[in-house]
Amino acid sequence: MIALPTPDPSVLARREAIVADLTRLVGAANVIAEPARLKPYETDGFTAYKRVPLAVCLPDSTEGVAAVLRYCTRNGIRVVPRAAGTSLSGGALPLEDAVVIGVARLNRILEVSVEDRLIRVEAGVTNIGVTRAVEGEGFFYAPDPSSQLACMIAGNIAMNSGGAHCLKYGVTANNLLGVTLVTPDGEIVELGGGHLDTPGYDWLGLICGSEGQLGIVTEATLRILRAAEGARAMLVGFRATDVAAAAVADIIGSGIIPVALEFMDKPCIRACEDFAHAGYPLEAEALLIIEVEGNEAEQDALLARLETICRRHDPLTVRIARTAEESAAIWKGRKGAFGAIGRISPDYLCMDGTIPPARLPEAMRRIEALSRQYGLMVANVFHAGDGNLHPLILFDANDNESFARAEALGADILRLCVELGGCLTGEHGVGIEKRDLMREQFSPADLAQQARVKRAFDPGWLLNPHKVFPPEFAQAA
Amino acid sequence: MALATPIAPENEGALARAIAEAYEAGVPLAIRGNGTKESLGRPVQAAAVLTTRALTGITLHSPSELVVAARAGTPVAEIEASLATKGQHLIAEPPDLSALTGPGEGPQTIGGVIACNLSGPRRIALGAMRDHVLGVRAVNGMGEVIRSGGRVLKNVTGLDLAKLVAGSRGTLAVMSEITLKVLPKPERTATVMLRGLDAARGIAALSAGLGSPFGVTGAAHLPAEAASRAGLGERTATLLRLEDFADFIPRRTQALAAALGEFGPAEILDEGPSLPLWRSVRDAVPLGVGDGEAVWRASLRPSRGAAFAEAVSRAFPARFLFDWGGGLVWVVGPATEPAHRSVTEAVRSAQGTFWLVRAPPALRAAVPGLPEEPAPLAALTRRVKHAFDPKGILNPGRIFAGV
Ligand SMILES: Cc1cc2nc3c(=O)[nH]c(=O)nc-3n(C[C@H](O)[C@H](O)[C@H](O)COP(=O)(O)OP(=O)(O)OC[C@H]3O[C@@H](n4cnc5c(N)ncnc54)[C@H](O)[C@@H]3O)c2cc1C
């Protein structure tokens, strides 16, 4: 287990007065303090860790967020920003002596401009809510995390989230034009706007992926894109993981950048097939789902080229969708992958390390060896084109020893990703989960530099503390 | 500018030592590659010049992983040539602005382009230079080597200092090595050209094109004078670029031209004329900048580009070039404070931003080269600068006076 701090007794002792102050600042309707209503906020998508917060504030305006943040900073009270709470790294995990500031009630669409290809939203709008607001015009919002029905733009920005289509369209940072940020001292600043590129410091680049360490985002301006004429998928089953990895390298090397290039290993294929009956080849050791875009003729041409490349790798099966329905059938298993694994084992840890794609065969071999060594099953499903792995470690949550082994195995997998030239997290963030592993990827000088930037925004180190930074770097100015 | 021989470290260790010594002694340094971008900021008062020009060489190119890495002083042209041998290119097509800024002391370096976050026409479709920075190694103002990011395409580990350092024009840290995402070079380029539209109609056509599903990767509008300088004759030219597989281009150009029917008949330029035309748009050559003139680069919502240009034209006789679908407006005018004030004012009412990229040193020293930040943001700028460079020895005053 990762060490969490003992709460500050002086803050706990002031609880009633703090709740009264918060109520005065944003109104009773926007403050939650009863234990039963606080319970749902005790964790996020990383459910192994739970802490009931001091109170939850759900302001309905940027000014409300600013008032609460200023109050907390002045009074030395810790703050945990929260959006939908789907973080898989414990980024939104509360602390007992902290006030959670949530953006769930900041959920209005403020403006859609097709001519400027942008949308302005409050940060509590869901990811899918953005695409729904513009799809009538034939547009979409590109970053599409699998959690898109629930997760919110604020969380996407804080984690710099990606999705299945980011090989072609990029992650959140590449689709963000502006944010309204409330700094810890309660100042409201506008970063970026409706235009591209600002010649001062790249605040947007810094805020994106900063995991609630620097301020609270209350509004965002996002790029929207015109949807392609059409898309179609193919599925290829291979005899060995190495062979599938070689096919991935050949595809990218050929000059075709598919809009999606997803990889599944045998345990995952089996789980998905049992669950979704998508017709996946059970004898295959690895499977690729490849999607291309264009009009019908272009799709045909690209799929034919991809088929030629894959055939060079002696595939067991090649299935090319001819219609949208056949594409959907190919995607069906993949989209249900996490649910399918959940059926085999209700508890799993989802790792998120990235490796250079050329190291894929070695990574898969060594993850398998680690899985045997720890005696826990690992299923792999991931974005192959960019090397962002998602090994799912299956364990039994009722058994503390099994959880401890799962955590240790996960840490070894992430160390392996770093050793192979990759990183700890491709899209889920460091949060609490990978905080102590940061020393594996960064030198003390690297981490000290990041900590100084954090302190430039949050000198009191009150905003989302105990996350991202190993404890020895997490110090107030 | 300092006159002593520049310090030109040949490896990262020497770079770190040079900065550590300057830190100990409290000696401010002017940071440069080959000095091609001298006019892109305020003149720096420094005791010595530190150049990355001896830190050269491509350190990694893995075509199937879409990554290239090079030391900061490597000429951009060398990287482009090397990528081309494997059919790849730099996604944001960084411009060569020597037509505006003069030649410098050598070819522009990758460090300089990243430090200024300069992108060409493809920025509108595929992101800016900073979007493709996967990782940097750099030395901060205390002489410490720091790393951020890495060599993989997806990485959210820790604060993204790589993006912060990119675009910071040498004021936070001196980059020693940069890793970038690259893409396959498209097989074929073509241009759909509309003639005789005014700026507002031209930008409306660009918006319609960028809102089409045909994959427009360049969208520029050239007023008559610029069109003429680009060899297109004395009529405005509205240009939409397509880059794709060769067998897709004929259908896509036809479909795009048809979708833009309401803007008049389209002319299709094939690859031969398209490549040099887009290179000249990229490099802002059609502006035809002359002695005594200043150049501003305004970035705003495309729908406000035409009104912005009109507002500037009311203040002084200006020339323009519109890129990024009308969201990037190059402005040429007299290098005077009143002209600068007019641009500043017009940008403010359009709620955009600007960058003074060419002017005599006296003007660059006298006026802010970009919009002044509101007080809370200016305070953050100072604190972040201090977090990297506590003694203020790296390019002091380059972006903001006193920072
Ligand atoms: C089933 C499932 C599938 C997933 N699939 C993907 C995927 O495909 N790709 C992917 O990238 N992720 C995925 N995730 C992870 C998660 O959904 C993303 O990280 C998401 O962006 C989190 O959004 P959220 O609204 O739930 O944020 P939260 O979990 O509430 O918060 C996330 C982080 O943001 C901070 N934060 C929240 N609001 C603010 C604010 N207003 N200002 C500043 N900081 C703030 C929090 O403190 C926390 O650190 C998945 C998760 C699940 C459960």
Side-chain angles (χ1 to χ4, degrees), chain A residues 81 83-87 91 103 145-147 152 154-156 158 161-162 212 215-217 427 464:
Chain A
T86 67
S87 167
V103 291
S146 323
S147 51
M152 296 171 183
N156 293 175
S161 302
I216 295 193
V217 172
E427 59 183 20
N464 221 3

Side-chain angles (χ1 to χ4, degrees), chain A residues 111 113 115-118 120 139 159-160 162-163 166-168 171 173-174 176 183 185 187-191 194-206 208-211 213-214 223 226-229 249 252-257 293-295 297-298 301-302 305 352 354-359 383 385-386 388 421-430 438 441-443 445-446 449-450 452-457 468-469, chain B residues 62-66 86 88 117 119 123-132 140 142 144-161 163-164 166-169 171-172 181 183-184 187 206-208 210-214 244-245 247-249 251-252 255 297 299-304 324-325 327 351-355 369-371 373-374 376-377 380-389 399-400 403:
Chain A
E111 181 197 352
S113 169
E115 58 176 341
D116 289 328
R117 296 168 300 283
L118 61 81
R120 227 156 45 79
F139 282 73
M159 291 311 194
N160 192 12
C166 61
L167 185 58
K168 176 159 178 199
V171 294
N174 313 116
L176 184 64
T183 64
D185 45 10
E187 296 285 353
I188 299 169
V189 294
E190 299 293 334
L191 309 175
H195 53 274
L196 300 168
D197 300 356
T198 301
Y201 290 157
D202 186 359
W203 300 118
L204 284 179
L206 178 65
C208 202
S210 65
E211 303 199 26
Q213 293 291 319
L214 307 180
R223 272 161 76 85
R226 174 64 193 255
E229 290 169 274
I252 306 265
S254 78
I256 301 177
I257 303 297
E293 288 181 338
N295 76 350
E298 291 166 353
L302 290 172
R305 257 171 256 184
D352 174 48
T354 306
I355 54 158
R359 310 299 292 274
H383 316 303
D386 52 31
N388 187 189
C423 66
L424 298 172
T425 170
E427 59 183 20
H428 295 167
V430 177
M438 289 289 272
Q441 188 176 329
F442 293 108
S443 73
D446 301 338
Q449 182 62 67
Q450 292 186 32
R452 284 194 298 275
V453 171
K454 152 83 170 169
R455 277 192 291 274
F457 284 77
V468 183
F469 292 91
Chain B
S62 176
S64 71
E65 298 179 306
L66 307 176
K86 296 283 173 358
Q88 297 193 325
N117 186 25
S119 314
R123 199 270 170 260
I124 187 68
L126 293 172
M129 249 359 248
R130 66 77 128 155
D131 286 291
H132 310 122
N140 68 15
M142 294 180 287
E144 296 170 342
V145 175
I146 53 168
R147 283 175 320 137
S148 175
R151 55 150 299 187
V152 285
L153 299 186
K154 274 177 81 186
N155 186 346
V156 298
T157 323
L159 295 181
D160 194 346
L161 302 187
K163 284 216 179 63
L164 190 59
S168 70
R169 293 191 247 165
T171 64
L172 299 180
K181 177 181 177 184
L183 278 180
E187 267 176 21
L206 298 178
S207 269
L210 288 163
S212 79
F214 306 118
D244 221 311
F245 293 105
D247 48 338
F248 295 3
I249 287 292
R251 200 275 306 180
R252 289 199 173 218
R297 215 170 175 255
S299 176
L300 24 88
R301 285 185 177 214
S303 60
R304 293 178 188 156
W324 299 355
Q351 290 175 287
T353 184
F354 72 87
W355 185 352
L370 70 171
E373 295 180 316
L377 202 51
L380 282 175
T381 294
R382 280 170 198 280
R383 295 209 294 265
V384 166
K385 164 78 171 168
H386 187 79
F388 281 88
D389 178 20
I399 304 182
F400 297 101
V403 184

Side-chain angles (χ1 to χ4, degrees), chain B residues 24 52 97 249 343 354 366 380:
Chain B
E24 286 305 321
T52 56
L97 296 182
I249 287 292
V343 173
F354 72 87
L380 282 175

Side-chain angles (χ1 to χ4, degrees), chain B residues 13-311:
Chain B
L15 174 68
R17 278 193 301 281
I19 296 177
E21 275 167 29
Y23 172 69
E24 286 305 321
V27 175
L29 301 170
I31 312 299
R32 50 169 63 187
N34 277 322
T36 60
K37 297 176 180 52
E38 172 53 30
S39 82
L40 270 71
R42 303 182 67 259
V44 172
Q45 303 297 324
V49 173
L50 176 71
T51 165
T52 56
R53 70 175 176 226
L55 282 169
T56 56
I58 295 170
T59 50
L60 165 78
H61 180 207
S62 176
S64 71
E65 298 179 306
L66 307 176
V67 291
V68 71
R71 295 200 185 87
T74 312
V76 173
E78 184 182 324
I79 298 174
E80 283 173 331
S82 170
L83 290 174
T85 64
K86 296 283 173 358
Q88 297 193 325
H89 69 180
L90 294 175
I91 307 167
E93 57 179 335
D96 172 352
L97 296 182
S98 49
L100 311 185
T101 61
E105 296 139 19
Q108 67 169 341
T109 64
I110 191 69
V113 157
I114 302 292
C116 294
N117 186 25
L118 286 174
S119 314
R122 215 177 280 120
R123 199 270 170 260
I124 187 68
L126 293 172
M129 249 359 248
R130 66 77 128 155
D131 286 291
H132 310 122
V133 174
L134 301 176
V136 301
R137 295 180 64 94
V139 178
N140 68 15
M142 294 180 287
E144 296 170 342
V145 175
I146 53 168
R147 283 175 320 137
S148 175
R151 55 150 299 187
V152 285
L153 299 186
K154 274 177 81 186
N155 186 346
V156 298
T157 323
L159 295 181
D160 194 346
L161 302 187
K163 284 216 179 63
L164 190 59
V165 168
S168 70
R169 293 191 247 165
T171 64
L172 299 180
V174 181
M175 287 178 275
S176 56
E177 188 176 348
I178 297 143
T179 308
L180 293 167
K181 177 181 177 184
V182 294
L183 278 180
K185 220 183 174 86
E187 267 176 21
R188 188 66 51 83
T189 301
T191 306
V192 171
M193 177 164 69
L194 304 162
R195 301 309 300 264
L197 305 174
D198 65 16
R201 283 290 284 166
I203 290 170
L206 298 178
S207 269
L210 288 163
S212 79
F214 306 118
V216 170
T217 67
H221 176 81
L222 280 53
E225 230 182 311
S228 156
R229 268 197 209 90
L232 299 170
E234 276 286 333
R235 252 178 342 136
T236 73
T238 304
L239 310 171
L240 297 106
R241 178 175 65 182
L242 293 173
E243 300 173 294
D244 221 311
F245 293 105
D247 48 338
F248 295 3
I249 287 292
R251 200 275 306 180
R252 289 199 173 218
T253 44
Q254 290 308 327
L256 179 60
L260 299 174
E262 62 167 300
F263 298 98
E267 205 175 306
I268 303 220
L269 308 179
D270 64 19
E271 180 150 298
S274 284
L275 292 181
L277 177 57
W278 284 100
R279 203 171 308 125
S280 92
V281 169
R282 179 193 81 178
D283 298 345
V285 172
L287 283 174
V289 178
D291 288 348
E293 287 187 314
V295 178
W296 297 264
R297 215 170 175 255
S299 176
L300 24 88
R301 285 185 177 214
S303 60
R304 293 178 188 156
F308 163 77
E310 270 166 38

